[in-house]
Amino acid sequence: MKRVAVAGFFHESNTFATTPTTYADFEQVSLTFGKELIDRWSGGNHEISGFLQWAKENNEIEIVPLLAAFAMPSGTIVAETFESIANQMEKALRESLPLDGLYLALHGATVSKDFPDADGEIAKRMRQIVGPDIPTVMTLDLHANVSTKMVENTDATMIYRSNPHLDQKDRGLEAGELMGRTLKNEIRPVQAVEYPPLIINIAKQYTDELPAKGLYDDLQSVLEWPGILSASVAMGFSYSDVEEMGATFLAVADNDPELARKAARWMAQRAWDNREEFQVNLPKADEAVSMAIQAIEAPIVLLDIGDNVGGGGPGDSTVVLEQIVKQNASNALVVLFDPEAVNACVKAGVRNGVSIEVGAKTDERHGTPVSISGVVRLISDGIFVEPEVRHGGWGSFDQGITAVVETSEKNTVILTSTKMCPVSLEQIKSLGIKPETKKILVAKGVIAPRAAYNPVAGRTILVDTPGATCANPESFEYQNRRSSLFPLESDVLYEVE
Ligand SMILES: [Zn+2]
């Protein structure tokens, strides 16, 4: 039996978000050790689930589960938390030796106080323990800012190809397949990475539509090249102020570094040639709400880009709600993270009136608290289950004690005690609300909500709101990024020889 260790460390770190990420944030979402990891992740849609499924179907592999840590996207991870999780992972790996292979499920945009390239640091430490000859396969999120340190400390990298992320399990299966063939000495994976000086705007990262779809058409054609084992595009995460921030192209070839390099460069050059297509000009909140009120279709889904919970937004921005109130919109639905307001509703009790200030309590950058008056329609435990494949690969969710307020203006405000990325309509439906009957649905995200919201959306409008996940990279003061990046610098050159 070949022994393959599995470890996961998952955090999308928004270095512009004000709330740091602590150990408790991982405990709250998912932190599993040893066999717990297998129990937690078997049968799901995550890449770890895919890798475990591959191992199960391949009787020659024994999985050695180490640790898997997940936290909601938020600010930089505090130094002690990173060290604690990394040290536990390293210790578990040391105790598991000897091994035949190592699978690392990482995010690629994880930043800790001491390590801007936290994923690269994890890969380096783990590689040092197993040694350079043990095949090490890594999967990353499509929003990775891929570093050379990550790539130098692994043999093959696979990145999600779908945004919203619906192919995570497939990437885990692919990682398993590649591991299996490597362990049988059928192949010898080598990889190359290419960095065009390009930011792909978050609003142009929807893989079902051009221009993003074109990147994946190119990727598919690279997969046809003889000798290519895998190919990936990382669209990057512009809310991490790190040196590697930006788009990355990666290819894995069979014992042919030059072929891998050629494939990565070919994809990068084609993306660069289309660079103008990856930039945006979107309506602000006032214009978007006005468009929604006047629209014939319903519901209109307003995607609140500046408060993208899946990108580290606080989940309590009132910028769109302020406009809904100001422009007298009705039959709108807004979800806000606001434990204080939930408590006030619990105190008032179901069927009773409340007058409360909601939202904008995390910081000063996401609007100001909005006064609402209405009736508490429901208090819920906030637990819901999503049966379909949705962004993130999760099936069960907990948004904490949740209150539903029907306001005097006939709008619905859902108040949650835990931040929740709007990847599942069950977040709303489990509260007895029919989203398809609403005129306006506000979702705090950009691409992640679409798999859930597209089936009910009459139309979807991307809204250029301010905040920790603002669409415009020019609104951030970067200290650490590469000095030349389009479109932040317009006179950037990129020539591949
Ligand atoms: Zn992502």
Side-chain angles (χ1 to χ4, degrees):
M1 281 293 242
K2 299 277 189 189
R3 289 163 45 82
V4 178
V6 174
F9 193 160
F10 238 79
H11 189 251
E12 194 168 77
S13 311
N14 182 325
T15 61
F16 299 104
T18 45
T19 313
T21 302
T22 65
Y23 200 81
D25 293 317
F26 286 93
E27 287 178 316
Q28 191 199 12
V29 176
S30 183
L31 187 54
T32 50
F33 302 89
K35 198 177 162 299
E36 285 173 357
L37 183 159
I38 295 181
D39 298 341
R40 173 66 186 81
W41 293 104
S42 290
N45 292 311
H46 197 267
E47 54 270 32
I48 295 182
S49 314
F51 196 86
L52 295 177
Q53 183 178 318
W54 161 78
K56 203 172 176 184
E57 287 166 0
N58 187 324
N59 289 326
E60 294 154 30
I61 302 295
E62 181 197 344
I63 288 287
V64 183
L66 304 179
L67 181 165
F70 294 76
M72 280 288 286
S74 192
T76 303
I77 301 174
V78 299
E80 299 75 31
T81 299
F82 175 79
E83 281 309 326
S84 173
I85 293 171
N87 290 343
Q88 293 179 78
M89 205 180 261
E90 291 162 59
K91 183 168 178 279
L93 183 61
R94 255 184 237 109
E95 287 169 357
S96 303
L97 297 173
L99 288 161
D100 300 292
L102 171 64
Y103 168 52
L104 294 174
L106 304 179
H107 184 285
T110 306
V111 180
S112 79
K113 180 78 173 48
D114 292 342
F115 297 102
D117 175 15
D119 305 272
E121 182 63 20
I122 289 279
K124 187 190 95 183
R125 292 188 192 184
M126 299 295 271
R127 188 65 181 247
Q128 271 171 0
I129 294 168
V130 293
D133 300 330
I134 297 297
T136 301
V137 176
M138 170 171 71
T139 48
L140 296 175
D141 189 282
L142 173 144
H143 295 105
N145 293 317
V146 184
S147 71
T148 47
K149 195 168 164 185
M150 294 178 213
V151 171
E152 281 165 4
N153 287 288
T154 54
D155 297 297
T157 304
M158 269 127 267
I159 300 174
Y160 313 158
R161 296 173 194 161
S162 165
N163 193 24
H165 307 330
L166 306 178
D167 67 328
Q168 294 175 237
K169 184 175 162 185
D170 291 342
R171 298 287 75 75
L173 284 165
E174 190 193 354
E177 175 74 25
L178 207 130
M179 175 69 82
R181 293 180 65 198
T182 308
L183 291 175
K184 284 183 192 152
N185 289 322
E186 288 174 19
I187 52 170
R188 189 173 167 275
V190 290
Q191 58 187 348
V193 66
E194 182 70 14
Y195 301 94
L198 173 66
I199 294 176
I200 296 176
N201 191 287
I202 188 101
K204 288 291 179 86
Q205 297 187 352
Y206 185 29
T207 51
D208 279 4
E209 282 176 3
L210 289 171
K213 186 176 175 297
L215 302 175
Y216 293 87
D217 293 342
D218 288 349
L219 184 155
Q220 286 301 333
S221 53
V222 161
L223 292 177
E224 307 282 311
W225 294 13
I228 290 291
L229 299 172
S230 184
S232 289
V233 179
M235 299 232 215
F237 188 64
S238 58
Y239 310 126
S240 288
D241 182 11
V242 297
E243 197 189 336
E244 296 79 18
M245 188 274 281
T248 316
F249 296 78
L250 186 147
V252 184
D254 186 7
N255 202 16
D256 188 344
E258 202 42 53
L259 177 66
R261 192 165 299 118
K262 195 176 154 199
R265 283 185 175 173
W266 183 78
M267 291 187 290
Q269 177 70 59
R270 288 177 54 93
W272 177 252
D273 291 345
N274 256 333
R275 59 192 172 281
E276 300 283 356
E277 298 291 311
F278 294 107
Q279 317 311 323
V280 291
N281 188 9
L282 300 168
K284 307 270 189 227
D286 53 350
E287 192 188 342
V289 169
S290 162
M291 285 162 74
I293 292 171
Q294 287 164 32
I296 301 159
E297 315 93 313
I300 300 297
V301 176
L302 297 180
L303 293 168
D304 182 354
I305 300 182
D307 188 15
N308 171 5
V309 178
D316 70 350
S317 169
T318 54
V319 173
V320 179
L321 177 61
E322 277 169 2
Q323 285 300 325
I324 286 171
V325 172
K326 192 175 166 194
Q327 300 187 34
N328 294 317
S330 70
N331 199 20
L333 182 144
V334 178
V335 182
L336 291 174
F337 161 62
D338 191 338
E340 218 176 280
V342 171
N343 280 340
C345 293
V346 170
K347 260 192 203 136
V350 170
R351 292 192 175 197
N352 291 327
V354 279
S355 284
I356 42 176
E357 301 256 297
V358 297
K361 290 172 186 166
T362 303
D363 59 32
E364 310 282 302
R365 292 186 296 162
H366 300 86
T368 50
V370 170
S371 299
I372 59 164
S373 299
V375 173
V376 179
R377 219 206 74 229
L378 187 87
I379 306 283
S380 154
D381 64 4
I383 292 170
F384 58 96
V385 173
E386 171 58 65
E388 303 291 330
V389 181
R390 293 288 183 253
H391 179 95
W394 297 74
S396 53
F397 299 84
D398 181 355
Q399 58 186 349
I401 302 289
T402 297
V404 179
V405 179
E406 298 294 346
T407 75
S408 318
E409 295 81 25
K410 304 219 173 329
N411 292 317
T412 305
V413 178
I414 298 176
L415 301 160
T416 72
S417 304
T418 302
K419 274 205 308 180
M420 179 58 61
C421 185
V423 294
S424 164
L425 274 188
E426 291 300 325
Q427 180 183 23
I428 298 166
K429 288 159 92 174
S430 63
L431 303 169
I433 299 166
K434 293 190 170 73
E436 65 276 15
T437 64
K438 296 291 172 189
K439 174 69 182 170
I440 299 175
L441 296 169
V442 181
K444 293 178 173 298
V446 187
I447 312 294
R450 294 195 189 207
Y453 282 76
N454 278 0
V456 298
R459 186 160 34 123
T460 300
I461 300 174
L462 288 157
V463 192
D464 181 4
T465 44
T469 52
C470 178
N472 184 357
E474 279 176 32
S475 63
F476 299 104
E477 280 182 31
Y478 293 97
Q479 311 286 335
N480 306 311
R481 69 170 176 88
R482 289 177 272 163
S483 57
S484 283
L485 271 177
F486 184 85
L488 292 171
E489 285 78 33
S490 53
D491 56 347
V492 192
L493 291 175
Y494 174 59
E495 296 281 348
V496 287
E497 68 271 22

